[in-house]
Amino acid sequence: MPPLLHPALPLLLGATLTFRAIRRAICRLPLPVHVRADPLRTWRWHNLLVSFSHSIVSGIWALLCIWQTPDMLVEIETAWSLSGYLLVCFSAGYFIHDTVDIVASGQARASWEYLVHHIMAMGAFFSGIFWSSFVGGGVLTLLVEVSNIFLTIRMMMKISNAQDHLLYRVNKYVNLVMYFLFRLAPQAYLTHFFLRYVGQRTLGTFLLAVLLMLDMMILIYFSRLLRSDFCPERVPRRQHKDKFLTE
Protein backbone atom coordinates (compact mmCIF):
# COMPACT_ATOMS: atom_id res chain seq x y z
CA MET A 1 0.00 0.00 0.00
CA PRO A 2 1.46 3.39 -0.93
CA PRO A 3 2.56 5.50 2.08
CA LEU A 4 0.00 8.23 1.32
CA LEU A 5 -2.80 5.68 1.76
CA HIS A 6 -1.36 4.03 4.85
CA PRO A 7 -4.08 3.36 7.48
CA ALA A 8 -1.84 4.80 10.21
CA LEU A 9 -2.16 8.33 8.81
CA PRO A 10 -5.65 8.93 10.30
CA LEU A 11 -4.30 7.70 13.65
CA LEU A 12 -1.39 10.15 13.49
CA LEU A 13 -3.67 13.00 12.45
CA GLY A 14 -6.16 12.17 15.18
CA ALA A 15 -3.44 12.04 17.84
CA THR A 16 -1.95 15.34 16.67
CA LEU A 17 -5.33 17.08 16.71
CA THR A 18 -6.06 15.61 20.15
CA PHE A 19 -3.00 17.31 21.60
CA ARG A 20 -3.92 20.51 19.81
CA ALA A 21 -7.33 20.37 21.49
CA ILE A 22 -5.68 19.67 24.86
CA ARG A 23 -3.48 22.72 24.42
CA ARG A 24 -6.45 24.93 23.60
CA ALA A 25 -8.25 23.69 26.72
CA ILE A 26 -5.15 24.22 28.87
CA CYS A 27 -4.90 27.85 27.72
CA ARG A 28 -8.22 28.49 29.49
CA LEU A 29 -6.84 27.44 32.88
CA PRO A 30 -5.63 30.03 35.44
CA LEU A 31 -1.89 30.70 35.62
CA PRO A 32 0.42 31.06 38.64
CA VAL A 33 1.30 34.65 39.48
CA HIS A 34 4.98 34.33 38.45
CA VAL A 35 3.95 32.81 35.11
CA ARG A 36 1.11 35.16 34.20
CA ALA A 37 3.26 38.28 33.86
CA ASP A 38 5.75 36.81 31.39
CA PRO A 39 4.65 35.70 27.88
CA LEU A 40 7.61 33.31 27.57
CA ARG A 41 6.85 31.66 30.91
CA THR A 42 3.19 31.46 29.88
CA TRP A 43 4.03 29.62 26.67
CA ARG A 44 6.38 27.27 28.50
CA TRP A 45 3.78 26.59 31.17
CA HIS A 46 1.18 25.62 28.59
CA ASN A 47 3.74 23.58 26.64
CA LEU A 48 4.77 21.67 29.77
CA LEU A 49 1.16 20.98 30.75
CA VAL A 50 0.58 19.32 27.37
CA SER A 51 3.80 17.36 27.85
CA PHE A 52 2.63 16.38 31.34
CA SER A 53 -0.66 15.01 30.01
CA HIS A 54 1.21 13.02 27.36
CA SER A 55 3.63 11.61 29.93
CA ILE A 56 0.90 10.43 32.29
CA VAL A 57 -1.07 8.67 29.55
CA SER A 58 1.81 7.19 27.57
CA GLY A 59 3.90 6.24 30.63
CA ILE A 60 1.08 4.22 32.18
CA TRP A 61 0.10 2.88 28.75
CA ALA A 62 3.67 1.65 28.09
CA LEU A 63 3.72 -0.21 31.42
CA LEU A 64 0.38 -1.84 30.58
CA CYS A 65 1.62 -2.85 27.12
CA ILE A 66 4.64 -4.61 28.61
CA TRP A 67 2.47 -6.27 31.26
CA GLN A 68 0.07 -7.52 28.56
CA THR A 69 2.84 -8.50 26.08
CA PRO A 70 6.01 -9.33 28.06
CA ASP A 71 7.65 -10.62 24.86
CA MET A 72 8.37 -6.95 24.07
CA LEU A 73 11.16 -7.10 26.64
CA VAL A 74 12.97 -9.75 24.60
CA GLU A 75 11.65 -9.77 21.03
CA ILE A 76 12.19 -6.06 20.53
CA GLU A 77 12.10 -6.25 16.73
CA THR A 78 9.23 -8.67 16.16
CA ALA A 79 6.94 -8.41 19.21
CA TRP A 80 3.71 -6.63 18.30
CA SER A 81 0.39 -5.80 19.89
CA LEU A 82 -2.45 -3.55 18.83
CA SER A 83 -2.19 -1.60 22.08
CA GLY A 84 1.54 -1.07 21.57
CA TYR A 85 1.01 0.02 17.96
CA LEU A 86 -1.66 2.54 18.98
CA LEU A 87 0.62 3.85 21.75
CA VAL A 88 3.43 4.50 19.28
CA CYS A 89 0.97 6.33 16.98
CA PHE A 90 -0.34 8.34 19.93
CA SER A 91 3.13 9.46 21.00
CA ALA A 92 4.22 10.21 17.45
CA GLY A 93 1.18 12.51 17.25
CA TYR A 94 2.37 14.29 20.38
CA PHE A 95 5.84 14.86 18.93
CA ILE A 96 4.32 16.19 15.71
CA HIS A 97 2.13 18.58 17.72
CA ASP A 98 4.97 19.75 19.96
CA THR A 99 7.29 20.33 17.00
CA VAL A 100 4.65 22.50 15.31
CA ASP A 101 3.95 24.33 18.59
CA ILE A 102 7.63 25.16 19.14
CA VAL A 103 8.12 26.42 15.58
CA ALA A 104 4.82 28.33 15.39
CA SER A 105 5.53 30.02 18.73
CA GLY A 106 8.89 31.34 17.53
CA GLN A 107 10.82 29.18 20.01
CA ALA A 108 12.73 27.09 17.48
CA ARG A 109 16.11 28.68 18.20
CA ALA A 110 15.73 28.57 21.98
CA SER A 111 14.37 25.01 21.91
CA TRP A 112 16.50 23.54 19.13
CA GLU A 113 17.56 20.62 21.32
CA TYR A 114 13.92 19.61 21.67
CA LEU A 115 13.38 19.84 17.93
CA VAL A 116 16.38 17.57 17.28
CA HIS A 117 15.06 15.11 19.88
CA HIS A 118 11.56 15.15 18.38
CA ILE A 119 12.81 14.60 14.82
CA MET A 120 14.90 11.61 15.91
CA ALA A 121 12.02 10.19 17.97
CA MET A 122 9.57 10.56 15.08
CA GLY A 123 12.02 8.88 12.70
CA ALA A 124 12.27 5.92 15.07
CA PHE A 125 8.53 5.71 15.70
CA PHE A 126 7.68 5.89 12.01
CA SER A 127 9.66 2.67 11.48
CA GLY A 128 7.29 0.90 13.81
CA ILE A 129 4.22 2.62 12.41
CA PHE A 130 4.82 2.19 8.68
CA TRP A 131 6.89 -1.01 8.64
CA SER A 132 5.31 -2.71 11.68
CA SER A 133 8.71 -3.62 13.10
CA PHE A 134 10.40 -2.64 16.35
CA VAL A 135 7.03 -1.77 17.91
CA GLY A 136 8.33 -3.42 21.08
CA GLY A 137 11.36 -1.13 20.98
CA GLY A 138 9.08 1.89 20.64
CA VAL A 139 7.07 0.80 23.68
CA LEU A 140 10.24 0.29 25.74
CA THR A 141 11.46 3.72 24.68
CA LEU A 142 8.23 5.23 25.98
CA LEU A 143 8.94 3.99 29.50
CA VAL A 144 10.87 7.24 29.68
CA GLU A 145 7.53 9.02 30.01
CA VAL A 146 7.16 7.64 33.55
CA SER A 147 10.31 9.58 34.41
CA ASN A 148 9.03 12.60 32.48
CA ILE A 149 6.05 12.92 34.84
CA PHE A 150 8.36 13.90 37.69
CA LEU A 151 10.76 15.82 35.47
CA THR A 152 7.88 17.97 34.19
CA ILE A 153 6.62 18.62 37.73
CA ARG A 154 10.14 19.81 38.57
CA MET A 155 10.33 22.16 35.58
CA MET A 156 6.87 23.62 36.21
CA MET A 157 7.76 24.35 39.83
CA LYS A 158 10.94 26.10 38.69
CA ILE A 159 9.01 28.24 36.23
CA SER A 160 6.59 29.26 38.99
CA ASN A 161 9.50 30.01 41.38
CA ALA A 162 8.51 27.25 43.81
CA GLN A 163 11.96 25.71 44.33
CA ASP A 164 11.72 26.31 48.09
CA HIS A 165 8.51 24.31 48.40
CA LEU A 166 8.64 20.95 50.20
CA LEU A 167 7.15 19.25 47.16
CA TYR A 168 10.08 20.41 45.02
CA ARG A 169 12.63 19.05 47.50
CA VAL A 170 10.86 15.69 47.69
CA ASN A 171 10.29 15.52 43.94
CA LYS A 172 13.94 16.12 43.08
CA TYR A 173 14.92 12.86 44.80
CA VAL A 174 11.98 10.93 43.35
CA ASN A 175 12.86 12.38 39.95
CA LEU A 176 16.45 11.16 40.30
CA VAL A 177 15.34 7.60 41.10
CA MET A 178 12.82 7.60 38.23
CA TYR A 179 15.50 8.95 35.88
CA PHE A 180 17.62 5.89 36.61
CA LEU A 181 14.77 3.36 36.48
CA PHE A 182 12.78 4.59 33.50
CA ARG A 183 15.25 6.62 31.43
CA LEU A 184 18.84 5.47 31.88
CA ALA A 185 18.14 1.77 32.45
CA PRO A 186 15.79 1.22 29.45
CA GLN A 187 18.06 3.29 27.25
CA ALA A 188 21.11 1.21 28.24
CA TYR A 189 19.15 -2.03 27.64
CA LEU A 190 17.98 -0.90 24.20
CA THR A 191 21.47 0.29 23.23
CA HIS A 192 22.91 -3.10 24.19
CA PHE A 193 20.26 -4.84 22.09
CA PHE A 194 20.74 -2.67 18.99
CA LEU A 195 24.54 -3.05 18.99
CA ARG A 196 23.95 -6.36 17.19
CA TYR A 197 23.09 -4.33 14.07
CA VAL A 198 26.53 -2.70 13.82
CA GLY A 199 27.89 -3.08 10.29
CA GLN A 200 24.57 -4.06 8.77
CA ARG A 201 22.54 -2.06 6.26
CA THR A 202 19.17 -2.51 7.89
CA LEU A 203 16.50 -0.55 9.69
CA GLY A 204 18.11 -1.72 12.91
CA THR A 205 21.31 0.11 11.99
CA PHE A 206 19.39 3.34 11.45
CA LEU A 207 17.65 2.93 14.81
CA LEU A 208 21.00 2.24 16.49
CA ALA A 209 22.34 5.56 15.15
CA VAL A 210 19.24 7.36 16.46
CA LEU A 211 19.57 5.60 19.81
CA LEU A 212 23.23 6.57 20.22
CA MET A 213 22.41 10.22 19.56
CA LEU A 214 19.58 10.05 22.09
CA ASP A 215 22.00 8.44 24.57
CA MET A 216 24.28 11.42 24.24
CA MET A 217 21.43 13.89 24.78
CA ILE A 218 20.12 11.97 27.80
CA LEU A 219 23.54 12.00 29.46
CA ILE A 220 23.91 15.73 28.83
CA TYR A 221 20.47 16.39 30.34
CA PHE A 222 21.36 14.17 33.30
CA SER A 223 24.51 16.16 34.01
CA ARG A 224 22.49 19.40 33.84
CA LEU A 225 19.92 17.94 36.22
CA LEU A 226 22.58 16.96 38.76
CA ARG A 227 24.28 20.36 38.56
CA SER A 228 21.05 22.30 38.88
CA ASP A 229 19.43 20.34 41.72
CA PHE A 230 22.38 19.00 43.67
CA CYS A 231 25.27 21.36 42.85
CA PRO A 232 23.47 24.69 42.23
CA GLU A 233 26.54 26.74 43.14
CA ARG A 234 28.20 25.41 39.97
CA VAL A 235 25.44 26.64 37.66
CA PRO A 236 26.03 30.14 36.21
CA ARG A 237 23.37 32.63 37.27
CA ARG A 238 22.33 33.27 33.66
CA GLN A 239 21.47 29.59 33.24
CA HIS A 240 19.16 29.76 36.25
CA LYS A 241 17.22 32.40 34.34
CA ASP A 242 17.22 31.02 30.82
CA LYS A 243 17.27 27.21 31.08
CA PHE A 244 13.71 26.54 32.18
CA LEU A 245 13.14 23.58 29.91
CA THR A 246 16.44 21.79 30.27
CA GLU A 247 17.53 22.65 33.79
Side-chain angles (χ1 to χ4, degrees), residues 58-59 61-66 69 72 79 81 83-85 87-88 125 134-144 190:
S58 60
W61 194 346
L63 290 171
L64 289 174
C65 285
I66 293 172
T69 313
M72 288 183 174
S81 72
S83 180
Y85 184 82
L87 169 59
V88 173
F125 285 160
F134 295 104
V135 171
V139 172
L140 289 179
T141 301
L142 287 167
L143 288 175
V144 71
L190 285 168

Side-chain angles (χ1 to χ4, degrees), residues 65-67 69-80 134-140 143 189-190 192-194 196-197:
C65 285
I66 293 172
W67 178 69
T69 313
D71 287 350
M72 288 183 174
L73 291 170
V74 181
E75 303 296 334
I76 292 175
E77 181 176 359
T78 58
W80 191 93
F134 295 104
V135 171
V139 172
L140 289 179
L143 288 175
Y189 178 71
L190 285 168
H192 178 266
F193 174 85
F194 276 96
R196 69 182 63 185
Y197 295 102

Side-chain angles (χ1 to χ4, degrees), residues 65-187:
C65 285
I66 293 172
W67 178 69
Q68 293 171 344
T69 313
D71 287 350
M72 288 183 174
L73 291 170
V74 181
E75 303 296 334
I76 292 175
E77 181 176 359
T78 58
W80 191 93
S81 72
L82 178 60
S83 180
Y85 184 82
L86 292 176
L87 169 59
V88 173
C89 291
F90 176 77
S91 290
Y94 164 72
F95 288 122
I96 293 171
H97 159 78
D98 200 47
T99 299
V100 173
D101 185 39
I102 290 173
V103 174
S105 301
Q107 298 298 319
R109 179 174 296 181
S111 303
W112 67 269
E113 295 171 351
Y114 280 77
L115 292 178
V116 171
H117 169 272
H118 288 1
I119 291 170
M120 290 191 294
M122 286 188 287
F125 285 160
F126 287 162
S127 68
I129 293 171
F130 294 108
W131 284 273
S132 296
S133 59
F134 295 104
V135 171
V139 172
L140 289 179
T141 301
L142 287 167
L143 288 175
V144 71
E145 297 301 334
V146 178
S147 168
N148 275 351
I149 294 172
F150 302 93
L151 186 63
T152 305
I153 290 173
R154 170 189 175 273
M155 291 190 288
M156 291 178 69
M157 294 191 74
K158 291 194 73 172
I159 290 176
S160 56
N161 287 349
Q163 294 97 316
D164 295 328
H165 198 283
L166 175 62
L167 176 60
Y168 184 91
R169 295 196 295 272
V170 172
N171 183 73
K172 76 176 184 179
Y173 291 104
V174 176
N175 180 43
L176 188 64
V177 173
M178 293 299 174
Y179 206 101
F180 273 106
L181 293 178
F182 291 101
R183 189 180 292 262
L184 294 179
Q187 199 75 9

